[in-house]
């Protein structure tokens, strides 16, 4: 199959909406990462998403909507869920809710719950609205690769497997959505993501965050998210973090002939002298946005060791640390 990358013009959005209506899959930008979308009400179309990604059938898809009223068509919405929908949608918060009939089992991996999100991205919203159906969409990477934040990342992973990629430039947040399971009491955070957990708790009270820790720890045993082409390690957030990183860098060059690169905040770059660095911005939020992008860049430049600066715990720092733990399999220096 030939895969075309299409600029996100109104004409091309219409073309892709028509493909979705016909039961095809199309990659499209959202504010978090690129999604691989199909008609969520068509089991055969959803099956194509799993096939293209090599995604296990046990891993359910998130249903994307263009309008809050579309949520009520696929899920039962409680009062607390309604408050979160009103407070955070459109946005990077996914809610797991009791499923209504009409959503094929393949989409929810057989669960009687369904995950829904309304993306805060004009191209995604226009596409879903024109398709006229809710769109099930996981991240548009091959399973076990970093989530794609540019059309070219999708192309690298899925060329030949999908007909079209809508190119809307770089994803503004660059990190997946936060997922909260509203069918549990208290509601349970299933994934730390681009919306801070504390801001969700401010609206509906206490949340169960144990699963985030369990998943993060499980990744130490079975790395799930990322099959590294380059090994990734990260530093704890010490006062002398840059010295620890510089020493680790030099010893790996000397003893293993490694080709390392350091992921560092812009304001720390000078501390690494002539060593290879890639800049992660001025803030933890920018670090979060650039992480997957920089990993793919480092791979393309044939670095075989990524040494990432750690960030302080709390807020988006916690989300970034959970990704670094998963990406590295827990290799902290
Ligand atoms: P991705 O779209 O690749 O970022 O992954 C979507 C994630 O949403 C899955 O890996 C699940 O963790 C979660 N998810 C989707 N649907 C459900 C559901 N019905 N129940 C629990 N978790 C879900
Ligand atoms: Mg994913």
């Amino acid at each position: 199959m030939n895969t075309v990358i299409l600029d996100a013009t109104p004409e091309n959005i219409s073309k892709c909406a028509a493909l979705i209506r016909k039961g095809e899959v199309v990659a499209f930008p959202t504010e978090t990462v690129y999604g691989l979308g199909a008609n969520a009400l068509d089991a055969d179309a959803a099956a194509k998403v799993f096939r293209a990604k090599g995604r296990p059938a046990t891993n359910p898809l998130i249903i994307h909507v263009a309008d809050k009223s579309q949520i009520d068509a696929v899920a039962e919405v409680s009062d607390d869920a309604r408050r979160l929908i009103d407070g955070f949608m459109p946005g990077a918060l996914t809610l797991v809710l009791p499923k209504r009939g009409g959503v094929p089992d393949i989409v929810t991996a057989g669960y009687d719950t369904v995950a829904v999100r309304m993306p805060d991205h004009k191209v995604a919203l226009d596409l879903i609205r024109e398709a006229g159906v809710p769109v099930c969409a996981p991240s548009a990477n091959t399973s076990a690769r970093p989530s794609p934040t540019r059309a070219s990342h999708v192309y690298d992973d899925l060329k030949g497997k999908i007909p079209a990629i809508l190119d809307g430039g770089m994803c503004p947040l660059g990190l997946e959505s936060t997922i909260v399971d509203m069918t549990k009491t208290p509601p349970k955070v299933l994934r730390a993501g681009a919306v801070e957990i504390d801001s969700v708790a401010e609206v509906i009270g206490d949340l169960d965050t144990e699963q985030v820790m369990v998943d993060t720890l499980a990744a130490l045993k079975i790395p799930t998210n990322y099959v590294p082409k380059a090994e990734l390690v990260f530093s704890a957030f010490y006062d002398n973090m840059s010295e620890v990183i510089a020493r680790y860098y030099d010893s790996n060059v000397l003893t293993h002939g490694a080709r390392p690169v350091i992921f560092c905040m812009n304001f720390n770059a000078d501390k690494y002298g002539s060593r290879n660095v890639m800049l992660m911005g001025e803030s933890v939020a920018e670090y979060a946005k650039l992480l997957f992008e920089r990993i793919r860049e480092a791979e393309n430049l044939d670095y075989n060791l990524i040494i990432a600066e750690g960030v302080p715990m709390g807020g988006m720092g916690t989300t970034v640390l959970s990704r670094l733990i998963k990406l590295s399999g827990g290799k902290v220096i």
Side-chain angles (χ1 to χ4, degrees):
M1 184 186 297
N2 187 34
T3 303
V4 291
I5 301 183
L6 302 169
D7 279 339
T9 59
E11 298 74 39
N12 286 334
I13 291 173
S14 298
K15 252 188 222 167
C16 289
L19 283 170
I20 288 179
R21 275 197 304 275
K22 269 186 11 201
E24 277 305 326
V25 297
V26 168
F28 63 97
T30 79
E31 82 279 32
T32 59
V33 302
Y34 273 74
L36 185 62
N39 179 353
L41 305 178
D42 176 344
D44 293 335
K48 291 183 185 171
V49 173
F50 284 87
R51 273 205 296 279
K53 270 186 70 96
R55 185 179 179 96
T58 48
N59 196 355
L61 308 181
I62 295 172
I63 292 188
H64 291 64
V65 299
D67 195 294
K68 293 178 186 179
S69 65
Q70 270 182 313
I71 297 173
D72 296 87
V74 293
E76 286 166 33
V77 179
S78 65
D79 291 346
D80 272 350
R82 186 77 61 196
R83 273 191 275 280
L84 293 179
I85 289 168
D86 289 342
F88 291 92
M89 294 195 195
L93 181 66
T94 296
L95 299 181
V96 173
L97 302 168
K99 161 176 151 175
R100 281 197 201 281
V103 180
D105 277 346
I106 185 173
V107 170
T108 61
Y111 291 108
D112 54 6
T113 55
V114 61
V116 283
R117 177 168 109 79
M118 179 176 173
D120 187 11
H121 194 289
K122 188 171 179 333
V123 176
L125 292 171
D126 287 350
L127 175 71
I128 300 165
R129 206 173 289 121
E130 274 209 52
V133 288
V135 170
C136 57
S139 48
N141 51 294
T142 298
S143 271
R145 294 281 302 144
S147 295
T149 57
R150 290 182 185 274
S152 62
H153 301 163
V154 180
Y155 188 79
D156 288 344
D157 277 15
L158 299 179
K159 61 176 167 299
K161 297 184 172 165
I162 59 174
I165 302 167
L166 263 183
D167 187 349
M170 190 179 175
C171 298
L173 298 177
L175 195 71
E176 302 93 338
S177 61
T178 298
I179 305 178
V180 180
D181 184 349
M182 297 302 293
T183 68
K184 300 286 191 306
T185 312
K188 188 168 179 175
V189 181
L190 299 181
R191 178 169 74 193
V195 163
E196 287 185 21
I197 292 167
D198 288 351
S199 63
V200 177
E202 269 171 32
V203 176
I204 55 165
D206 258 359
L207 293 170
D208 172 1
T209 55
E210 194 181 345
Q211 192 66 34
V212 175
M213 186 60 75
V214 170
D215 286 349
T216 305
L217 292 175
L220 307 187
K221 283 181 28 195
I222 314 163
T224 47
N225 259 30
Y226 171 51
V227 180
K229 289 187 187 162
E231 183 186 0
L232 189 142
V233 302
F234 72 101
S235 168
F237 189 69
Y238 315 109
D239 283 344
N240 64 340
M241 177 169 73
S242 48
E243 288 160 42
V244 172
I245 289 176
R247 235 181 295 130
Y248 188 84
Y249 181 112
D250 293 345
S251 72
N252 272 277
V253 172
L254 282 175
T255 56
H256 305 300
R259 254 178 69 75
V261 61
I262 299 166
F263 284 7
C264 67
M265 304 300 290
N266 296 8
F267 45 79
N268 285 336
D270 284 350
K271 298 179 184 163
Y272 299 110
S274 60
R275 296 176 186 86
N276 302 318
V277 297
M278 285 188 172
L279 300 179
M280 306 304 288
E282 302 280 356
S283 66
V284 174
E286 281 185 69
Y287 193 124
K289 167 177 170 162
L290 293 170
L291 181 57
F292 293 132
E293 155 119 357
R294 291 286 184 261
I295 288 172
R296 284 179 184 261
E297 270 175 29
E299 290 177 347
N300 289 338
L301 292 168
D302 282 330
Y303 291 115
N304 57 15
L305 174 63
I306 298 166
I307 311 170
E309 287 186 344
V311 295
M313 283 276 269
M316 283 306 287
T318 306
T319 303
V320 169
L321 287 170
S322 82
R323 292 295 184 286
L324 288 174
I325 291 170
K326 284 191 175 178
L327 292 164
S328 67
K331 277 170 259 150
V332 188
I333 59 167

